[in-house]
Amino acid sequence: MTEIVLGVGASHSTLMNTHWEETIHKDRAGRFRDALYAAREELAAARPDTVILVGSNHFRGFWLDLIPSFTIGVGECLASGESGTPKGPQPVDEPLARHIAGELVDGGRFDVAFSARLQIDHGQSHAIQYLLDGLGVEIVPLVVNVFAPPLPTLDRCERLGRAIREAVLAFPGDRRVAVIGSGGLSHRLPWPDWRAPDGDDEEFMVGAWLNGRDNWQDYDARRRQIIRAAEAAINTDFDNEFLTLLEGGKAARITEYTTERLEEVAGNGAQELRTWLLMAALLDHVPGRRLAYESIPEWLTGMAVAVLDPTTT
């Protein structure tokens, strides 16, 4: 019998790897890092065979020449390795991945894209680095478009999570499956709406997203300068409201936000909450437990870790 044994939501930031020494609020950063390690221990205790790893794309694996709303990796998975995150091939549970894709499409529920050679970036490899290190598990990578509008609605993401849950539980093999949602919480990146760039920096970013498939490293130095020059825009009230909903098993209420309203309240980076929402739906919205929440302006982001354990309900 296949069962879903644990869910983890975790923020990510490559600045954790590249600018730890420059981080001013090291007490907050340390508490967040320790919470990642604590979540890893809970994952280890749950003994998953496979982790469905839901993350975002930061224009290193997907480009403006082709942006699906949802993409499942069903074959090779290659991590880009930027900013000290893992690089190279990652182990994929191909039978489960292909089962999920087939169930979604053949069942008429979701016409998801799939990739037999998927490239992921730190939107997922940050979680591989800090949450899966040493666990020896395979992954089913799921990439959600959160930065290239039009974006899938929050409601659509929640419904996809429920549909994947049904597919996983119908898998004829014997799997213990955990789920990770990587991203968020509130933050604002200096990234334009690609349809209407304004100024040299925004024109540069859109050009990088369109033309960087084979040479993304050539754009990375200026791109990082633009990001490092940005001012933090963290909404701690929103973040705590969302985490409270998650703790109460009510994360689906975030679907009341439109894409535009979510960006207005919590920044364009908060669109990554789609990954947490998918994770929570896969866990059937069991009540969660917050391990950490820290506002870290040097990383531009409200950083959180939470665990959803179906055995405690």
Side-chain angles (χ1 to χ4, degrees):
M1 182 181 73
T2 293
E3 55 185 327
I4 299 172
V5 297
L6 198 72
V8 176
S11 304
H12 59 241
S13 173
T14 59
L15 298 172
M16 182 173 173
N17 289 352
T18 61
H19 289 77
W20 183 269
E21 292 308 317
E22 294 89 340
T23 300
I24 298 170
H25 298 92
K26 281 195 172 61
D27 54 342
R28 303 179 190 180
R31 287 192 294 267
F32 171 75
R33 180 189 57 192
D34 291 345
L36 286 178
Y37 295 152
R40 181 199 166 282
E41 291 305 310
E42 296 207 28
L43 280 164
R47 299 180 291 105
D49 304 298
T50 303
V51 171
I52 298 176
L53 183 49
V54 189
S56 53
N57 161 59
H58 300 79
F59 299 101
R60 290 189 177 90
F62 290 84
W63 310 90
L64 288 177
D65 57 6
L66 182 63
I67 300 282
S69 293
F70 309 107
T71 306
I72 297 177
V74 298
E76 296 178 42
C77 179
L78 305 172
S80 57
E82 79 279 14
S83 304
T85 55
K87 182 177 182 178
Q90 305 299 316
V92 174
D93 185 342
E94 294 184 13
L96 180 58
R98 296 180 183 188
H99 167 81
I100 292 171
E103 285 287 302
L104 293 174
V105 175
D106 293 342
R109 285 175 277 190
F110 277 86
D111 295 322
V112 294
F114 68 87
S115 174
R117 183 173 292 149
L118 178 67
Q119 181 174 320
I120 60 174
D121 63 25
H122 75 269
Q124 287 162 312
S125 59
H126 192 279
I128 292 172
Q129 180 178 15
Y130 288 98
L131 294 173
L132 301 184
D133 182 43
L135 298 191
V137 298
E138 295 183 317
I139 64 171
V140 174
L142 172 62
V143 180
V144 182
N145 172 32
V146 304
F147 287 125
L151 308 183
T153 65
L154 289 156
D155 179 68
R156 188 72 171 159
C157 294
E158 199 275 337
R159 284 187 283 139
L160 176 59
R162 288 189 276 117
I164 294 176
R165 174 182 173 82
E166 293 179 11
V168 169
L169 295 179
F171 183 64
D174 185 15
R175 294 284 195 282
R176 294 177 61 83
V177 178
V179 188
I180 294 174
S182 178
L185 301 182
S186 68
H187 63 293
R188 183 173 299 280
L189 297 172
W191 288 9
D193 182 329
W194 67 271
R195 300 166 295 186
D198 181 17
D200 289 344
D201 283 348
E202 292 194 358
E203 292 280 1
F204 168 81
M205 294 294 269
V206 173
W209 299 343
L210 181 62
N211 302 310
R213 179 177 291 279
D214 297 320
N215 61 333
W216 63 263
Q217 294 93 337
D218 295 346
Y219 296 92
D220 220 37
R222 181 176 174 188
R223 169 176 155 147
R224 184 152 288 273
Q225 288 175 351
I226 293 170
I227 294 173
R228 290 291 293 158
E231 294 184 3
I234 301 170
N235 186 335
T236 56
D237 289 340
F238 170 86
D239 291 344
N240 280 298
E241 176 187 350
F242 173 74
L243 291 169
T244 298
L245 289 174
L246 191 78
E247 290 170 316
K250 300 175 181 178
R253 288 189 181 177
I254 199 73
T255 61
E256 297 171 5
Y257 279 81
T258 64
T259 296
E260 294 73 22
R261 178 61 178 159
L262 182 59
E263 178 168 349
E264 178 184 341
V265 171
N268 57 352
Q271 306 294 358
E272 289 181 321
L273 282 174
R274 287 163 169 79
T275 68
W276 287 61
L277 183 59
L278 265 156
M279 177 274 296
L282 264 153
L283 270 291
D284 200 27
H285 293 290
V286 299
R289 178 164 40 87
R290 185 185 323 199
L291 300 187
Y293 172 72
E294 301 294 340
S295 174
I296 307 181
E298 303 94 305
W299 299 353
L300 305 178
T301 305
M303 308 289 292
V305 184
V307 171
L308 278 65
D309 185 349
T311 68
T312 61
T313 59

